[in-house]
Amino acid sequence: MSWLTAEEALQALKTKPQTLYANVSRGRIHAKPDPSDPRRSLYQASDVQRLAERHAGRRKAETVAAETIRWGDPVLPSAISTITGGRLFYRGRDAADFADVATLEQTAALLWNGAEAFLSGSRTGNTSPSLQAAFRALAGRVTSDLPSLGRSQAALRREAGGVLCTLADALAPGPPEQPLHLRLAASWRRPDAADCLRRALVLMADHELNASTFAARVTASAGAALSAAVLSGLATLTGPLHGAAWQGVDALIEAAAALGAEQAIRRTLAQGNRLSAFGHPLYPDGDIRALALLPHFPLPPQFAAVRETGEEMVGERVNVDFALAAMAAAFDLPREAPIIIFSLARSAGWLAHAMEQIDSGELIRPRARYVGPAPETDRRT
């Protein structure tokens, strides 16, 4: 075991003597009397090195944190999903390939790392899918469900099943023994849409640390109930830069119907508005979810015109928001269908991330880099 003098420790830490002594008093650095001079102390080199590396990392983090939180590197470790090489993977399985054969129930089992059968229990009595009903149902659970801390993963998985069942009753009312895509198709009276709905639910189930998933993880990290985490995710999803982006796609299609695809796109760009239908920062070669979904239904003519013209003008391929809006139009689904599909699917991912966050035992608590007026100083003497 090697030891450092005070001068050597201070040089490594790049700090003041008071800070060195404080670290010793708090047990972060072990010290012992110097055999050659009992009036002096020696400091354990490994402890000093560990703190020095931590401080260096903190300084680096302060310089990059503002960028990493905006489409930057992942800020949390997760074993649930990842995007690499232009593909989306759920626990190592290619999501596009999985969507060829799986249901949302099977996807939840995969994401939850071993789920039990969960679509059981009483129905809420809804007659049609409703986002408003989903908010009410989740809010009703939040005040009665147990906090998530201190509970086993098996208990949490059982509760996750109940939360998903609650959401399913609001968004896809139907017999609990029936797969969710069939319940959705039946509630919308579109049995021919069932297979495309199944594919869409699987493809939308998770997408690593997106905004709504991060919101769900923050809520879970504080020990709140799983239903509270899903409620946080659902609220975040309603934003126009996230799950409600389909509204921008619909607006573009309406403009294209009136002006033609090229003029509608030109006008949108000239007004400084973003084109919700095209591109995704994580898929430079095209959103794999859209590419996996679009071949399975006939693209309505107006959508086809916007796709062809827009991809040439913008240089980006259409994304999953375009695909969901196009699918809703192709099967004449209700106007809210894209966000209902998105919400129901992504709830499986929110629950997976909430349980993973709880298992980590860590509170997500970033620090702010203050840029406001200088704090008042105490002028008292």
Side-chain angles (χ1 to χ4, degrees), residues 157-226:
R157 281 198 294 269
R158 286 194 295 272
E159 182 160 311
V163 173
L164 186 52
C165 179
T166 296
L167 200 65
D169 282 343
L171 296 177
E177 67 277 2
Q178 199 172 44
L180 284 171
H181 64 280
L182 294 180
R183 287 169 57 169
L184 264 183
S187 67
W188 286 328
R189 296 184 177 87
R190 295 293 183 271
D192 55 333
D195 188 64
C196 280
L197 289 171
R198 179 191 61 76
R199 291 176 184 275
L201 289 171
V202 174
L203 290 166
M204 302 304 294
D206 197 57
H207 208 230
E208 50 123 289
L209 288 177
N210 55 83
S212 58
T213 297
F214 189 73
R217 289 192 76 128
V218 170
T219 302
S221 80
L226 291 179

Side-chain angles (χ1 to χ4, degrees), residues 34-291:
D34 186 343
S36 63
D37 186 352
R39 295 171 300 177
R40 297 166 59 89
S41 294
L42 297 177
Y43 304 90
Q44 191 168 311
S46 59
D47 291 342
V48 171
Q49 182 180 0
R50 185 185 69 254
L51 277 182
E53 291 173 350
R54 183 184 301 173
H55 292 161
R58 185 177 302 142
R59 285 191 294 272
K60 180 181 179 182
E62 289 170 356
T63 64
V64 302
E67 294 301 322
T68 58
I69 208 166
R70 296 193 297 269
W71 297 103
D73 294 329
V75 295
L76 291 172
S78 177
I80 297 170
S81 70
T82 189
I83 301 159
T84 182
R87 309 290 294 186
L88 171 64
F89 296 90
Y90 296 157
R91 293 196 182 274
R93 294 199 62 170
D94 189 301
D97 292 342
F98 198 54
D100 285 337
V101 296
T103 64
L104 180 60
E105 291 85 344
Q106 292 167 329
T107 307
L110 175 63
L111 296 177
W112 297 359
N113 211 15
E116 301 178 13
F118 51 78
L119 289 181
S120 60
S122 61
R123 291 182 49 191
T124 61
N126 292 320
T127 57
S128 62
S130 165
L131 202 61
Q132 291 80 4
F135 276 106
R136 287 194 297 268
L138 288 171
R141 289 193 62 131
V142 168
T143 55
S144 58
D145 285 353
L146 288 173
S148 55
L149 291 183
R151 302 171 65 196
S152 71
Q153 283 291 302
L156 290 173
R157 281 198 294 269
R158 286 194 295 272
E159 182 160 311
V163 173
L164 186 52
C165 179
T166 296
L167 200 65
D169 282 343
L171 296 177
E177 67 277 2
Q178 199 172 44
L180 284 171
H181 64 280
L182 294 180
R183 287 169 57 169
L184 264 183
S187 67
W188 286 328
R189 296 184 177 87
R190 295 293 183 271
D192 55 333
D195 188 64
C196 280
L197 289 171
R198 179 191 61 76
R199 291 176 184 275
L201 289 171
V202 174
L203 290 166
M204 302 304 294
D206 197 57
H207 208 230
E208 50 123 289
L209 288 177
N210 55 83
S212 58
T213 297
F214 189 73
R217 289 192 76 128
V218 170
T219 302
S221 80
L226 291 179
S227 53
V230 174
L231 186 59
S232 295
L234 186 61
T236 306
L237 188 72
T238 61
L241 298 183
H242 196 5
W246 62 273
Q247 294 177 326
V249 178
D250 274 2
L252 179 61
I253 296 298
E254 290 176 7
L259 305 172
E262 181 176 350
Q263 285 304 312
I265 293 169
R266 284 184 180 277
R267 187 180 70 171
T268 302
L269 294 173
Q271 292 172 342
N273 297 324
R274 66 188 297 269
L275 287 167
S276 304
F278 299 93
H280 192 291
L282 298 180
Y283 298 105
D285 297 322
D287 190 334
I288 188 60
R289 300 166 298 174
L291 297 176

Side-chain angles (χ1 to χ4, degrees), residues 255-340:
L259 305 172
E262 181 176 350
Q263 285 304 312
I265 293 169
R266 284 184 180 277
R267 187 180 70 171
T268 302
L269 294 173
Q271 292 172 342
N273 297 324
R274 66 188 297 269
L275 287 167
S276 304
F278 299 93
H280 192 291
L282 298 180
Y283 298 105
D285 297 322
D287 190 334
I288 188 60
R289 300 166 298 174
L291 297 176
L293 184 59
L294 286 169
H296 297 282
F297 60 87
L299 199 58
Q302 202 63 68
F303 281 84
V306 167
R307 180 185 187 182
E308 181 180 0
T309 304
E311 288 185 345
E312 182 178 350
M313 292 176 64
V314 180
E316 297 273 8
R317 303 179 78 171
V318 292
N319 55 31
V320 77
D321 300 306
F322 175 92
L324 288 177
M327 185 178 75
F331 292 103
D332 194 24
L333 303 179
R335 186 171 183 274
E336 273 196 332
I339 198 167
I340 287 175

Side-chain angles (χ1 to χ4, degrees), residues 1-16 19-21 23-24 27-32 41-57 59:
M1 185 179 296
S2 61
W3 298 84
L4 303 176
T5 65
E7 292 76 14
E8 291 170 333
L10 290 171
Q11 183 177 3
L13 291 169
K14 295 180 174 58
T15 189
K16 298 177 181 179
T19 305
L20 174 62
Y21 305 148
N23 281 318
V24 172
R28 296 171 180 166
I29 297 177
H30 292 89
K32 70 173 186 178
S41 294
L42 297 177
Y43 304 90
Q44 191 168 311
S46 59
D47 291 342
V48 171
Q49 182 180 0
R50 185 185 69 254
L51 277 182
E53 291 173 350
R54 183 184 301 173
H55 292 161
R59 285 191 294 272

